[in-house]
Amino acid sequence: MTRKVDRTLELSDEKMRLLVDEAMERIVKHVSSLADRPAHDLKDAEKLSLGLIESTAPEQGEKTSAIMDHLFEVVLPKSLNTPGPGFMAYIPGGGIFHSAVADLIADSVNRYVGAWRPAPGLARIEANVVDWLASIVGLGEGSGGFLTTGGSLANFSAVIAARHAVLGEELSVGTIYASDQVHHSVVKAGRMAGFRVANIRSVPSDDLFRIDLGALRSMIEEDKAGGLKPTLLVGSAGTTNTGAVDDLSALARITNEHGLWYHVDAAYGGFFQLTERGRGILSGIEKADSVTLDPHKGMFLPYGTGALVVRDVSKLRDAHSMTAEYLPAIQDDPNLVDFCEISPELSRDARGLRIWLPVKMHGMGPFRANLDEKLDLIEIATRGLEEIPSVRIVARPQLTVVAFRLEADGMVRDELNALNEKFIDRINDRNRIYITGTNLRGEFVLRICILSFRTHRDRLDQGLEDIRAAAAELTNST
């Protein structure tokens, strides 16, 4: 018996256009309304989520229009408005539209770029993008790297490269050093890479929440005296808690003295290198062996776009290269990059277009201008907070994050922490901005982080109005 061929999934030209039109009509409406939408809407979110459970996939399809309506009218609104102008939580994700179009192209043509040979042009475009990123942080000839889904995987591959270059197979004696403010993905990467948890050192931070250089030197000397092998030092170029930037030049000198691999986690702050102020703050980043960057932060791209760039790309190849009979011939020419040779992934999407297309359309100028604007806005935000008598600045901005706290006479720490949790709720309940909090040395503090390309002075002024009103309500009631 010969089965009838089912070509349902092979859409005709007309059906492809209709599908895109159905989606695009709603996408444009959604994006154009972001400024008017609430900064967050999570009311009854659990009920919605549980109501969406489908344990069995449907056998028959539904009308496209009904599916799209359900997605845009029911599912998507119940969320944080992360691409909106009022999202000032850590870290805003703007999601420029150009990259969505680039992903549509990349996913539609569906070329494989894990190796050079199957799609030489797209592989070269992605390599160009990596070269641009390496140049931004000051890495020169011989540098390279790859795009990842985010900073966590970039940090992981950096740890793997450091482990291979410094330790070889002697994992038990290796040590990692990072401040107590470092992103948790660094510690997680160390564990996954096989370092003993006891050998991942948490170095105290100073009054500016930067790594304490004296404590770091003492830890390294003690470990060397105890027969351990100091392996990796991680500097932060914009911490999660306060946006603090370590003394990157001093860290470079320490790594040179002791033979450590020097990695800088610049997922948040790295792209401020595009600005004059940023280059001063990040001085020393160009001395790193490896740098993590997140274009989905400082270049305003959609979530899922990270990068690892290294000073010597051969170190990535040494740590990641693996051959198999079914793989195409690997290239010796450094201009013909096989990403599977220098990264963990074989199967992967073509990520380069989502950076390449907007940069080719606009150049780097608008990205630089937007980052400069955000540096201006955080200064305005800080001055505005200082004008509120009951507010104390806990961490002044080093890039575009400011941490602050509501104070009240006669309250002990736990009472003040509870007060500030109410404070953040009062601010967010006004639904014009959305901010988050964290704990700094036992104090619950609020943070403003300004990084979205859609956030401008008008929305910041609204946010400051809401902060002043919430502060007045709570201090008058205490």
Side-chain angles (χ1 to χ4, degrees):
M1 175 181 175
T2 303
R3 289 186 178 274
K4 182 181 179 180
V5 175
D6 189 327
R7 299 186 182 275
T8 304
L9 302 180
E10 301 175 50
L11 300 183
S12 66
D13 294 358
E14 181 182 4
K15 286 184 177 180
M16 282 191 284
R17 289 190 180 93
L18 287 173
L19 176 58
V20 172
D21 288 345
E22 288 274 12
M24 190 55 61
E25 178 184 352
R26 293 163 176 82
I27 290 170
V28 171
K29 181 180 178 181
H30 176 82
V31 173
S32 64
S33 68
L34 286 172
D36 300 321
R37 291 178 177 271
H40 69 101
D41 178 10
L42 295 177
K43 183 180 180 181
D44 297 326
E46 182 177 348
K47 179 180 178 181
L48 168 73
S49 184
L50 294 175
L52 293 174
I53 292 175
E54 294 183 83
S55 57
T56 304
E59 186 65 23
Q60 302 296 324
E62 303 174 35
K63 288 185 61 175
T64 303
S65 59
I67 297 170
M68 294 290 180
D69 287 342
H70 178 67
L71 183 61
F72 280 87
E73 295 174 12
V74 177
V75 178
L76 294 178
K78 193 63 63 178
S79 61
L80 302 180
N81 188 6
T82 51
F87 193 76
M88 301 180 191
Y90 206 96
I91 277 285
I96 55 178
F97 184 73
H98 318 60
S99 294
V101 175
D103 280 351
L104 174 61
I105 296 170
D107 292 347
S108 298
V109 301
N110 199 32
R111 295 298 190 267
Y112 173 67
V113 296
W116 170 83
R117 188 173 296 277
L122 285 178
R124 185 58 248 175
I125 281 176
E126 189 157 329
N128 289 345
V129 167
V130 171
D131 289 344
W132 298 346
L133 302 185
S135 177
I136 287 171
V137 296
L139 302 184
E141 186 176 352
S143 63
F146 56 92
L147 301 182
T148 72
T149 57
S152 294
L153 284 182
N155 284 336
F156 178 58
S157 270
V159 172
I160 294 294
R163 184 193 73 183
H164 187 87
V166 179
L167 290 178
E169 300 297 324
E170 299 295 325
L171 300 187
S172 63
V173 296
T175 56
I176 297 175
Y177 307 86
S179 87
D180 56 15
Q181 299 295 305
V182 78
H183 194 271
H184 79 281
S185 65
V186 171
V187 178
K188 187 174 182 178
R191 292 175 57 188
M192 293 192 300
F195 284 82
R196 295 175 59 194
V197 175
N199 288 1
I200 303 175
R201 305 285 186 244
S202 180
V203 185
S205 53
D206 61 18
D207 291 342
L208 297 178
F209 302 97
R210 303 178 305 179
I211 193 168
D212 186 308
L213 299 176
L216 171 63
R217 289 182 182 276
S218 296
M219 285 184 174
I220 292 174
E221 294 291 355
E222 289 174 9
D223 286 339
K224 290 173 72 173
L228 297 176
K229 175 68 174 175
T231 306
L232 168 66
L233 172 59
V234 180
S236 296
T239 61
T240 303
N241 271 338
T242 66
V245 178
D246 291 332
D247 187 338
L248 302 179
S249 292
L251 295 186
R253 290 192 292 272
I254 292 172
T255 56
N256 288 336
E257 291 169 14
H258 296 281
L260 286 80
W261 180 283
Y262 181 26
H263 176 65
V264 175
D265 182 357
Y268 157 48
F271 286 104
F272 286 97
Q273 276 282 103
L274 291 169
T275 71
E276 183 177 353
R277 283 174 286 181
R279 286 191 295 276
I281 296 167
L282 300 175
S283 178
I285 194 172
E286 72 283 354
K287 300 175 182 178
D289 293 300
S290 55
V291 179
T292 286
L293 295 166
D294 266 353
H296 63 216
K297 294 183 175 74
M299 286 190 74
F300 323 117
L301 268 62
Y303 291 121
T305 315
L308 177 67
V309 290
V310 298
R311 173 176 305 283
D312 182 356
V313 72
S314 69
K315 301 295 186 182
L316 285 181
R317 183 171 290 104
D318 292 343
H320 292 87
S321 178
M322 187 71 65
T323 61
E325 293 83 356
Y326 44 79
L327 292 176
I330 301 303
Q331 310 302 314
D332 293 326
D333 189 332
N335 291 314
L336 309 179
V337 181
D338 290 302
F339 289 110
C340 64
E341 277 287 279
I342 60 174
S343 74
E345 296 175 289
L346 181 60
S347 296
R348 62 190 296 279
D349 53 338
R351 299 176 184 133
L353 287 184
R354 66 177 66 156
I355 301 176
W356 179 85
L357 180 62
V359 172
K360 292 292 284 187
M361 289 176 65
H362 300 292
M364 293 304 297
F367 296 93
R368 181 177 293 106
N370 268 273
L371 290 169
D372 263 323
E373 180 195 20
K374 308 319 162 195
L375 290 168
D376 293 339
L377 289 177
I378 202 66
E379 292 179 5
I380 295 169
T382 304
R383 290 197 298 269
L385 292 171
E386 288 175 326
E387 292 170 357
I388 305 173
S390 52
V391 165
R392 173 171 65 91
I393 304 297
V394 179
R396 302 188 69 81
Q398 297 177 38
L399 291 170
T400 62
V401 178
V402 60
F404 61 100
R405 177 174 167 86
L406 191 64
E407 301 285 358
D409 293 337
M411 286 190 174
V412 298
R413 175 177 286 186
D414 288 347
E415 292 173 323
L416 284 171
N417 285 344
L419 176 67
N420 277 276
E421 290 183 12
K422 291 180 182 177
F423 188 28
I424 199 170
D425 288 340
R426 292 286 182 94
I427 296 166
N428 288 338
D429 284 348
R430 286 166 165 80
N431 236 329
R432 296 198 289 183
I433 66 169
Y434 185 83
I435 60 176
T436 53
T438 189
N439 282 285
L440 291 176
R441 297 168 184 163
E443 292 186 335
F444 182 81
V445 302
L446 288 66
R447 290 174 309 190
I448 293 175
C449 180
I450 302 177
L451 195 59
S452 172
F453 72 101
R454 292 189 176 96
T455 300
H456 306 292
R457 177 66 185 269
D458 57 344
R459 187 55 64 106
L460 175 60
D461 286 343
Q462 292 175 9
L464 289 171
E465 286 178 6
D466 293 347
I467 292 170
R468 281 191 291 270
E473 289 174 6
L474 290 170
T475 53
N476 290 337
S477 64
T478 55

